[in-house]
Amino acid sequence: MPKRGGTGLLIRGGLVIDPAQKLEAVRDILLEDGKVKEIGVNLSARTALRAVQCLDAAQTWVVPGLIDMHVHLREPGRQSDETIATGALAAARGGITTVLAMPNTEPPVDNPSSVHFIKAKAASEAVVNVLIAGAATVGQKGERLTEFSRMASAGISAVTDDGRPLLNSELMRRALEYARDCGLPLIDHCEDENLSAGAPVNEGLAATVKGLRGIPWASETVMVLRDIALAELTGAHVHIAHISAAQSVAAVRLAKKRGLPVTAEATPHHFSLCDADIKGYNADFKMNPPLRGENDQEAVLAGLADGTIDAIATDHAPHGPGEKALAMALAPFGVIGLETSLALALTKLVERKILNRRQLVERMSAGPAKILGLKNKGHLKPGADGDITIIDPGVSWKVEAPFASKSRNSPFIGMKLNGRARAAIVGGRVVHAL
Amino acid sequence: MTAKTWDRKDLLGLQELSASEIETILDAAVIFKSSSKISSALSGSTAAFLFSEPSTRTRSSFEVAARRLGAEVLGFSVASSSLLKGESLLDTLRNLEAMGVDYFILRHEHSGVLESLAPNTRASLINAGDGAHEHPTQALLDLFTLREKKKTLKGLKVVIVGDILHSRVARSNIHGLKKLGARVTVCGPSALIPGDIEKLGVAASHDLDAALKGADAVNVLRLQLERQNQNLITSLSDYFESYGLTPARLAAAPGCVVLHPGPINRGVEISSQAADGPNSLILEQVKNGVAVRMAVLSLIGQWRKRNA
Ligand SMILES: [Zn+2]
């Protein structure tokens, strides 16, 4: 964790948006000792005599720090693609103050000492909060469950075999039961790997014309439907990672209507692009799940709008240029996303009135905080963690290198976006400012 | 030579060509077929073959075409593993280009590899088949053969039967036939018909007898025998039962000519009687292949001279 600021920080005159307090008004926010001390009008008059740093936030939105609950930091094992330090810098630059690190490192985070290693590394090197997801099975092999209780004591925030689904339904049932007993959400990467085997892109016209094998939508939905059934059976909280297919969104909507403990996230690439947008054979458009059809993209947008989808998460997956230069069929899945997530949400969701400002904060901060059980994040009530994102909604910019991330495998390079993070504050300390 | 112009360094596929560009190639091929003379259109230049999959037929057809145009021909038996990676393939091309190679005739097992290479080399790339994407010269010789026999492609009903899912020949044929005004039906078991194929403006059928009604031509695709291990077909004889082309099936479509890109699996996708029957143009296709490839190479050669 970053060092707490000893002195205070006053954020003056921004439009403060905090769904938890039903607040959307120009206010000052005073942070002290790394926490939210007070929100009010014209706090500077009263704090003038004290030693506080001032940040002018006029014309900006001041929101609870954004939380990205699906991030691959690649450390340990693939530090040439990303490290905890560079991933955290990329997050800060994108206005994200907390990330949930996925366990599919090399070796995977599947035991308490690995959790301690990441924690220590993040405490000394990361400028944002790094939460840790522990693997659900040893080596993410889908065979034996990991030690959920001991990893929970070590401080994990969720369990998942992300990158791989838990194909064995009996194993999934037991994982859910232990996750429930430990008070942890289980995040599932829903994919029937028999249906998707060997295919790099979505099944449909784009795959057909390019002569590439297609991943059918059903490879995701059959697992979503299974997970919903097992959530009902066990009463455990299952969280659907990177939901992408229209039929999956419909299934989650129905499950929620029935009161089942199911939540879901969607990525910026799935709400911004569809398979018709894939440029030639550019492997920066290859991710798993793949960019789906236009109807699926619309369903994801509708799911974000009506709250079926609780969170926006990037699935930030750095890969070096060598790997991505391989033929489309051979290149690895995954795109980076931390530095473009907020801007895409502003451009593709808020500007187009899919979400209003309050809903944006819900999907990018309050929603993930609730899923992960973070009581002091996702809102700005007095006593909350001093994590704040300051958004400049008016600035236009073009996505281009250099990135703070070590990798540059983004399908959005060259795209013009509106709005970005003016500053990111973590534990009362400014870690990014434009 | 026709007055129509050709303005491309490479031939990557038929999807990106206009109808008039395709006709330019076919018209040029008419001249190469009629004159058996050896031309000097490519003299002083070098063509190299990079094939990551074996193909005696396509390769020798290209080789004869290049030699008849006066080119020096280099063959490389490159192991497929070293051709897999995009970057090392680009390195290979650039090295050969530095040694004076002007034309690369490439076959690669993965779709789309040529598209990423073409902008990165000054040499001309000619696609001899990439994955399940395109095989433009095969489709061009199919179009040429059909046009020669039927005078025009406009309004013709053409059935492509077989493994459409994995077939680059099918994709290139669909693009070319549609552009020249033919009506196309693809036919095969659902497992071998790729998703949303109808959006390319073709009809999809799973009943060969129905598809052949009123057909002017049927293009029979080679079935890779390993498809049965993937449960994409039930058995070879079960496949033949539903989709094998026989004289009895052809009887329902008088005047329907038969094409096949070869090599033929007799008794799997086509019976010997149908393959060798009076309506078969299969040997004619082979003959036309050389003329069509000469046309492609010479048009690109002229482009290179203009843009030297
Ligand atoms: Zn995943």
Side-chain angles (χ1 to χ4, degrees):
Chain A
M1 300 288 150
K3 291 169 198 76
R4 302 296 179 199
T7 56
L9 175 66
L10 183 68
I11 303 162
R12 260 198 328 218
L15 177 72
V16 177
I17 306 164
D18 183 12
Q21 306 182 64
K22 296 194 167 53
L23 179 65
E24 201 168 331
V26 174
R27 292 283 187 276
D28 294 347
I29 301 185
L30 179 64
L31 304 180
E32 242 177 45
D33 298 325
K35 304 270 180 203
V36 175
K37 173 84 173 170
E38 196 178 354
I39 298 190
V41 181
N42 204 12
L43 290 183
S44 49
R46 285 193 286 127
T47 53
L49 298 177
R50 280 190 273 162
V52 292
Q53 186 193 346
C54 272
L55 209 68
D56 178 18
Q59 313 302 322
T60 68
W61 304 349
V62 178
V63 307
L66 306 183
I67 300 168
D68 186 340
M69 63 178 295
H70 198 136
V71 174
H72 300 274
L73 294 176
R74 303 300 189 213
E75 187 173 359
R78 296 214 352 237
Q79 288 95 321
S80 56
D81 295 342
E82 196 78 286
T83 64
I84 291 170
T86 58
L89 284 171
R93 190 162 180 247
I96 290 156
T97 58
T98 299
V99 299
L100 179 66
M102 291 293 115
N104 63 337
T105 47
E106 295 164 15
V109 180
D110 62 358
N111 62 77
S113 40
S114 291
V115 177
H116 287 301
F117 168 81
I118 306 281
K119 247 176 130 175
K121 201 86 173 136
S124 61
E125 293 172 17
V127 297
V128 301
N129 304 300
V130 176
L131 306 177
I132 299 161
T137 65
V138 176
Q140 294 194 294
K141 290 200 175 88
E143 290 162 6
R144 283 195 51 79
L145 292 179
T146 53
E147 298 177 314
F148 284 28
S149 302
R150 294 183 66 218
M151 289 200 296
S153 302
I156 60 168
S157 302
V159 279
T160 180
D161 265 2
D162 184 61
R164 300 293 311 281
L166 283 163
L167 276 178
N168 178 333
S169 300
E170 158 74 2
L171 185 72
M172 180 64 169
R173 174 198 181 154
R174 300 305 170 208
L176 281 165
E177 287 170 342
Y178 274 98
R180 183 198 57 203
D181 292 350
C182 295
L184 295 168
L186 192 141
I187 303 171
D188 198 22
H189 165 121
C190 291
E191 177 187 3
D192 183 327
E193 291 174 330
N194 293 308
L195 281 169
S196 60
V201 296
N202 186 48
E203 186 170 291
L205 181 62
T208 293
V209 170
K210 290 176 206 289
L212 296 170
R213 288 189 70 165
I215 302 173
W217 57 263
S219 70
E220 175 180 280
T221 305
V222 292
M223 298 302 276
V224 170
L225 288 166
R226 180 205 68 169
D227 285 2
I228 291 168
L230 292 176
E232 183 167 7
L233 178 71
T234 60
H237 174 186
V238 66
H239 175 77
I240 310 298
H242 41 55
I243 198 166
S244 66
Q247 291 81 351
S248 307
V249 177
V252 171
R253 183 175 290 121
L254 187 63
K256 286 188 158 187
K257 214 173 193 173
R258 295 181 54 223
L260 301 178
V262 178
T263 56
E265 70 190 29
T267 70
H269 45 270
H270 287 113
F271 69 65
S272 302
L273 302 170
C274 66
D275 58 359
D277 297 313
I278 299 173
K279 288 202 181 106
Y281 292 85
N282 183 344
D284 288 345
F285 288 78
K286 178 181 176 183
M287 66 291 279
N288 190 7
L291 295 177
R292 300 280 186 190
E294 207 178 337
N295 66 311
D296 298 298
Q297 186 189 352
E298 277 161 17
V300 167
L301 290 171
L304 282 164
D306 73 3
T308 298
I309 299 170
D310 308 80
I312 291 168
T314 58
D315 195 5
H316 180 80
H319 288 285
E323 290 180 278
K324 280 293 193 179
L326 301 174
M328 188 79 156
L330 301 175
F333 290 102
V335 297
I336 58 169
L338 288 166
E339 292 166 74
T340 47
S341 173
L342 170 63
L344 286 163
L346 290 166
T347 308
K348 307 285 183 186
L349 303 178
V350 179
E351 204 176 295
R352 296 182 184 176
K353 302 206 182 328
I354 308 283
L355 298 183
N356 60 34
R357 294 181 295 217
R358 174 183 56 78
Q359 291 170 317
L360 173 84
V361 176
E362 282 171 352
R363 305 292 176 269
M364 297 196 78
S365 182
K370 191 171 169 211
I371 292 165
L372 297 172
L374 309 171
K375 302 238 166 357
N376 297 322
K377 297 193 188 296
H379 63 86
L380 297 171
K381 291 178 185 165
D385 292 343
D387 299 344
I388 286 178
T389 303
I390 300 182
I391 299 169
D392 182 346
V395 63
S396 280
W397 62 291
K398 197 165 120 187
V399 181
E400 54 197 350
F403 292 99
S405 168
K406 271 193 159 184
S407 293
R408 48 188 298 177
N409 52 311
S410 167
F412 299 109
I413 288 174
M415 191 181 273
K416 272 237 171 81
L417 298 176
N418 299 323
R420 71 191 302 180
R422 159 96 57 97
I425 297 159
V426 176
R429 209 163 64 93
V430 179
V431 297
H432 162 72
L434 279 183
Chain B
M1 209 39 81
T2 66
K4 289 174 194 159
T5 56
W6 173 266
D7 194 21
R8 289 177 188 272
K9 171 173 84 75
D10 312 292
L11 177 66
L12 303 181
L14 295 197
Q15 189 191 7
E16 61 184 14
L17 298 191
S18 66
S20 91
E21 285 175 299
I22 293 172
E23 277 165 349
T24 299
I25 297 171
L26 301 184
D27 293 347
V30 172
I31 295 167
F32 282 115
K33 189 178 179 185
S34 62
S35 68
S36 52
K37 274 203 316 242
I38 288 178
S39 150
S40 59
L42 261 63
S43 66
S45 60
T46 306
F49 288 87
L50 289 171
F51 274 45
S52 79
E53 293 174 333
S55 164
T56 322
R57 181 184 287 242
T58 301
R59 190 178 153 154
S60 34
S61 174
F62 264 115
E63 196 160 336
V64 169
R67 285 190 200 283
R68 283 198 187 155
L69 294 169
E72 204 178 309
V73 173
L74 287 179
F76 292 90
S77 51
V78 183
S80 74
S81 58
S82 71
L83 268 184
L84 285 180
K85 297 193 173 190
E87 277 192 339
S88 62
L89 179 52
L90 183 58
D91 284 341
T92 306
L93 287 194
R94 283 185 171 151
N95 279 318
L96 290 169
E97 191 190 333
M99 293 174 208
V101 172
D102 312 283
Y103 304 85
F104 287 101
I105 295 145
L106 274 150
R107 168 166 291 191
H108 201 283
E109 68 250 54
H110 287 298
S111 302
V113 168
L114 278 82
E115 270 193 37
S116 50
L117 295 172
N120 294 305
T121 171
R122 276 194 297 276
S124 291
L125 305 190
I126 292 131
N127 188 354
D130 64 321
H133 179 221
E134 286 233 36
H135 191 351
T137 57
Q138 176 67 45
L140 286 165
L141 76 87
D142 292 346
L143 296 173
F144 181 92
T145 307
L146 274 180
R147 195 180 76 162
E148 190 179 55
K149 188 80 184 174
K150 302 279 186 183
K151 307 303 170 218
T152 177
L153 291 164
K154 198 154 262 152
L156 283 193
K157 181 183 176 185
V158 180
V159 176
I160 305 173
V161 58
D163 182 359
I164 311 294
L165 181 65
H166 298 92
S167 176
R168 52 194 174 215
V169 174
R171 283 174 182 74
S172 289
N173 258 288
I174 289 169
H175 295 309
L177 287 165
K178 292 294 299 174
K179 283 172 206 271
L180 297 189
R183 292 175 296 140
V184 179
T185 298
V186 296
C187 183
S190 295
L192 297 178
I193 303 284
D196 286 347
I197 188 91
E198 300 88 346
K199 291 186 181 162
L200 288 175
V202 305
S205 163
H206 311 296
D207 179 344
L208 182 56
D209 293 309
L212 282 174
K213 281 206 181 81
D216 299 292
V218 55
N219 199 336
V220 184
L221 301 175
R222 176 181 164 83
L223 185 78
Q224 298 294 331
L225 302 184
E226 68 263 24
R227 300 295 171 228
Q228 56 187 336
N229 306 331
Q230 305 160 327
N231 282 314
L232 288 170
I233 62 164
T234 46
S235 78
L236 296 180
S237 45
D238 211 27
Y239 179 85
F240 185 76
E241 175 81 18
S242 297
Y243 300 103
L245 191 70
T246 59
R249 284 206 154 106
L250 273 172
C256 178
V257 295
V258 177
L259 303 172
H260 190 298
I264 298 171
N265 290 310
R266 288 170 188 267
V268 177
E269 69 262 2
I270 189 168
S271 73
S272 278
Q273 299 93 309
D276 306 330
N279 289 336
S280 170
L281 299 177
I282 297 173
L283 281 175
E284 200 61 28
Q285 285 175 278
V286 177
K287 189 191 288 179
N288 294 338
V290 174
V292 162
R293 289 175 175 121
M294 286 176 80
V296 168
L297 285 168
S298 74
L299 285 167
I300 292 177
Q302 288 163 27
W303 182 93
R304 295 187 68 82
K305 276 182 190 145
R306 287 199 306 275
N307 292 276

